[in-house]
Amino acid sequence: MRNLFTALKQDTHANHDILENTFPFSIYHKDSLFDEKAYLAILKIMSMFHQAAANAVQQAEFEVPALAAVASMINSGVIQDALNRDIIALTRDSLTEDTHATGTYTDQAYKDTHHNKPSMPYSSSPTSQAISAIYVWLGSSMGANIIVRRLNAMERDIPTNYYQAMAGCAKAWVSFKQEVDRLLPELDLENESFVADAVKDANAWFEYLISLADAEMHNNTNKAVEFS
């Protein structure tokens, strides 16, 4: 039987690459491509992902209490609070420049994000969906420190609360893998079937993120046409 984390790394690689090369995430490939509006779009996308993933993890923990140890590693309250602060700060700056904007900063921050929102990811089981969600969540935190340093080096007034909070999550990566390796035999899930389910669910989370990015760009295009 393949190790779960070896299978996840190998079999989600294609979708991981697609996501990294999908706008607006592709702005991180080159500092000169960085744009505050694209950065705001990334934060809105990640906010929706984190909300969906946290809900899936919470539901799985309710059904399988043994998942509590790994469920706590995503630190969802801190992450969402950091996202909210960054989104509101960037939206405030955008509204200052946009004489057409109306409503509060918080209203505008989320106004367009929920149109054409993709459906929730496929789920093989609550446990595989939760473990795969945490895998994608913590995996995405691994480069957070690097992103913070790059953004700070630009010497622009860019809020980085989210990536600073995610850098904290990255510290749980090794513990997460160790705890899952301990849990699988306890839950009688140390088998090829569960590995296949977890891979399928992880790819579904990546596809969800890609769909969120496509939807966010579609919304922004419609908004631009509306004010043109």
Side-chain angles (χ1 to χ4, degrees):
M1 186 188 83
R2 279 199 301 169
N3 173 271
L4 171 63
F5 290 101
T6 299
L8 283 168
K9 182 176 181 179
Q10 292 175 345
D11 295 355
T12 64
H13 180 74
N15 273 327
H16 182 271
D17 278 355
I18 291 171
L19 178 64
E20 284 196 338
N21 288 286
T22 298
F23 190 82
F25 295 100
S26 55
I27 67 171
Y28 288 136
H29 288 319
K30 194 174 182 180
D31 288 348
S32 62
L33 296 177
F34 184 85
D35 172 82
E36 278 86 350
K37 289 184 179 179
Y39 181 60
L40 174 59
I42 289 174
L43 297 180
K44 288 182 176 182
I45 292 162
M46 294 312 297
S47 179
M48 286 186 284
F49 162 74
H50 287 299
Q51 288 173 3
N55 288 340
V57 171
Q58 184 180 42
Q59 178 61 35
E61 183 186 359
F62 177 77
E63 297 186 25
V64 186
L67 292 171
V70 291
S72 65
M73 294 178 184
I74 61 176
N75 212 4
S76 60
V78 171
I79 297 301
Q80 199 61 58
D81 178 68
L83 273 165
N84 290 341
R85 283 185 284 147
D86 286 350
I87 289 170
I88 290 171
L90 285 164
T91 305
R92 178 191 62 222
D93 293 342
S94 175
L95 289 177
T96 300
E97 299 171 359
D98 186 356
T99 57
H100 298 286
T102 59
T104 66
Y105 296 148
T106 303
D107 290 340
Q108 288 293 325
Y110 294 99
K111 180 179 178 182
D112 301 303
T113 304
H114 300 286
H115 297 310
N116 305 314
K117 185 176 179 180
S119 58
M120 279 289 292
Y122 169 88
S123 171
S124 298
S125 74
T127 299
S128 64
Q129 187 183 44
I131 287 176
S132 63
I134 299 170
Y135 172 81
V136 175
W137 184 308
L138 295 184
S140 69
S141 74
M142 300 305 289
N145 265 326
I146 295 173
I147 293 176
V148 170
R149 287 197 296 269
R150 287 173 61 186
L151 294 177
N152 288 339
M154 292 181 188
E155 298 183 350
R156 294 159 72 171
D157 188 19
I158 303 167
T160 60
N161 294 296
Y162 167 61
Y163 285 107
Q164 290 182 54
M166 286 295 279
C169 280
K171 298 173 184 177
W173 179 248
V174 173
S175 297
F176 166 63
K177 293 198 294 183
Q178 291 173 340
E179 183 63 19
V180 169
D181 286 342
R182 185 195 68 78
L183 270 176
L184 293 186
E186 177 184 324
L187 299 175
D188 197 24
L189 293 173
E190 196 175 28
N191 53 62
E192 290 282 2
S193 178
F194 182 78
V195 170
D197 286 346
V199 166
K200 188 180 296 184
D201 286 347
N203 274 315
W205 282 114
F206 277 114
E207 289 160 7
Y208 180 62
L209 275 164
I210 293 165
S211 296
L212 288 174
D214 290 342
E216 180 66 24
M217 291 305 96
H218 177 73
N219 290 334
N220 285 344
T221 299
N222 286 346
K223 184 178 179 181
V225 170
E226 179 184 342
F227 287 110
S228 62

